[in-house]
Amino acid sequence: MDKNLSFSIPAKHCRGRAVRLGPLLDNILSAHNYPAQIKSLLVEAVCLTSLLGALLKEEDAQLTLQAQTENGVVSLLACDYKDGDVRGYVQFDTERFINQALDPSLMALFGKGYLAITFDHPEPRGRSQGIVPLEGSSLSDAVQNYFMQSEQIPTVIRVAMTTDGDRTIAGGLLVQHLPDGEDGKERLHVRMNHPEWEHVEVMSSSVQAEELIDATLPLEDLLWRLFSESDEVRVLSGKPLVKGCRCNEDHIRDVIARFPKQDKEDMVDEDGTISIDCAFCSKKFTISSASLNN
């Protein structure tokens, strides 16, 4: 559990990632008392973040998935991945949520919303970001649209989840057709057809929700089951996935130190301390102003 795999199908010019999450989700969800629908939204977002983050190859690279909304029940959805550390948080209007339908749509939750996907690579690559409308029936649809619209890479994404009491399991699959354009050749998406991808797309889309969340079914077996007709499926284990909130006193001090002197003075309470709440893990930090370097 809390595992990700990288795989490729050389003969079909495809790559992919598969993840299955358990305790990681329980740790993230335990930080806040989310209602069931908001839990499901965050679980899907964390699973997608784990899939996208697994695409990163460099150490210290970071993937951030963030929903920007206008007049939505959800005012903030943020998840990120760095070196196998995953975290996520949802901020929402409790009163407005209660007045929504039992199974609110993406539009009802976010209003006119946009999904920002940011890749922070070490220099010299730096940062790249794509923004797409929050359209479709799920976050997975929006992310799939991101790759089609912003990256122009044919992509299939599937995510499933289940909850049994306090235990949550989620699984995800991301499969992509590698564009020849990355090597200076004609991009595959501009061709009228490419049967290699069409075959893989059908096989990938056939995955069942029950397979993605079946803790007794190894991810390796699932991949071989899906792509058994391929001559070769190369599978590599990814980094272990853990809940990774980077909040600690040293980090908080470093962040505060970047503010102008006047701003830091405005943060200080009457007792001479600065109080910081971490939304990701619900921890509270109290920093003495005297311990900061002015």
Side-chain angles (χ1 to χ4, degrees):
M1 204 68 73
D2 295 339
K3 180 179 182 180
N4 76 81
L5 293 180
S6 300
F7 65 94
S8 64
I9 308 174
K12 304 295 185 183
H13 305 292
C14 291
R15 68 175 178 183
R17 303 292 185 267
V19 302
R20 186 172 291 133
L21 309 174
L24 164 66
L25 295 172
D26 296 333
N27 287 337
I28 290 175
L29 295 174
S30 66
H32 297 277
N33 186 24
Y34 295 114
Q37 291 83 359
I38 298 297
K39 277 187 178 180
S40 295
L41 181 69
L42 182 55
V43 167
E44 183 180 14
V46 170
C47 194
L48 289 168
T49 300
S50 300
L51 284 170
L52 298 177
L55 295 174
L56 299 171
K57 297 179 180 180
E58 310 100 328
E59 292 292 331
D60 294 326
Q62 180 172 319
L63 177 284
T64 302
L65 184 150
Q66 182 171 336
Q68 303 172 355
T69 71
E70 295 180 18
N71 197 34
V73 172
V74 173
S75 56
L76 175 66
L77 167 64
C79 299
D80 64 35
Y81 170 105
K82 186 175 183 180
D83 295 331
D85 290 352
V86 185
R87 61 181 182 173
Y89 169 67
V90 179
Q91 184 179 74
F92 65 101
D93 187 319
T94 302
E95 184 175 347
R96 290 184 60 190
F97 175 80
I98 292 173
N99 294 325
Q100 291 286 339
L102 289 178
D103 188 16
S105 66
L106 210 61
M107 176 62 73
L109 286 174
F110 290 104
K112 183 181 179 181
Y114 296 87
L115 189 69
I117 300 175
T118 307
F119 292 90
D120 285 300
H121 302 277
E123 295 297 340
R125 291 186 64 183
R127 169 175 292 190
S128 62
Q129 183 182 71
I131 299 178
V132 293
L134 273 169
E135 298 175 342
S137 60
S138 66
L139 288 176
S140 300
D141 288 345
V143 174
Q144 189 166 288
N145 289 338
Y146 158 79
F147 280 108
M148 293 299 295
Q149 296 175 19
S150 297
E151 300 293 328
Q152 298 180 321
I153 300 175
T155 302
V156 170
I157 296 176
R158 295 292 182 269
V159 171
M161 67 195 77
T162 183
T163 299
D164 182 10
D166 294 330
R167 184 170 180 249
T168 300
I169 297 176
L173 178 71
L174 179 152
V175 186
Q176 297 181 318
H177 201 200
L178 293 176
D180 283 351
E182 290 181 351
D183 297 321
K185 302 177 184 177
E186 174 195 10
R187 276 192 175 273
L188 293 174
H189 77 276
V190 303
R191 301 180 188 175
M192 293 301 294
N193 56 62
H194 29 81
E196 293 174 346
W197 168 246
E198 292 170 0
H199 174 77
V200 174
E201 183 179 26
V202 170
M203 295 297 99
S204 304
S205 300
S206 71
V207 68
Q208 300 297 307
E210 293 78 9
E211 295 175 304
L212 290 172
I213 59 177
D214 184 355
T216 66
L217 175 63
L219 289 175
E220 294 89 344
D221 292 353
L222 172 59
L223 295 176
W224 292 325
R225 177 187 295 181
L226 288 173
F227 306 114
S228 59
E229 296 181 12
S230 300
D231 293 335
E232 180 184 15
V233 179
R234 298 177 183 174
V235 179
L236 297 173
S237 295
K239 293 182 178 180
L241 298 170
V242 297
K243 177 189 175 183
C245 195
R246 292 179 289 281
C247 61
N248 56 58
E249 288 198 11
D250 290 339
H251 177 69
I252 298 296
R253 284 193 174 90
D254 181 60
V255 171
I256 295 174
R258 300 173 193 172
F259 284 87
K261 182 178 180 180
Q262 184 60 52
D263 290 348
K264 286 188 285 186
E265 291 177 354
D266 292 341
M267 297 179 192
V268 179
D269 295 330
E270 293 181 356
D271 62 357
T273 63
I274 298 175
S275 298
I276 302 293
D277 295 344
C278 176
F280 287 100
C281 63
S282 289
K283 290 182 181 179
K284 295 185 178 181
F285 296 86
T286 302
I287 308 296
S288 169
S289 61
S291 68
L292 299 172
N293 293 322
N294 295 321

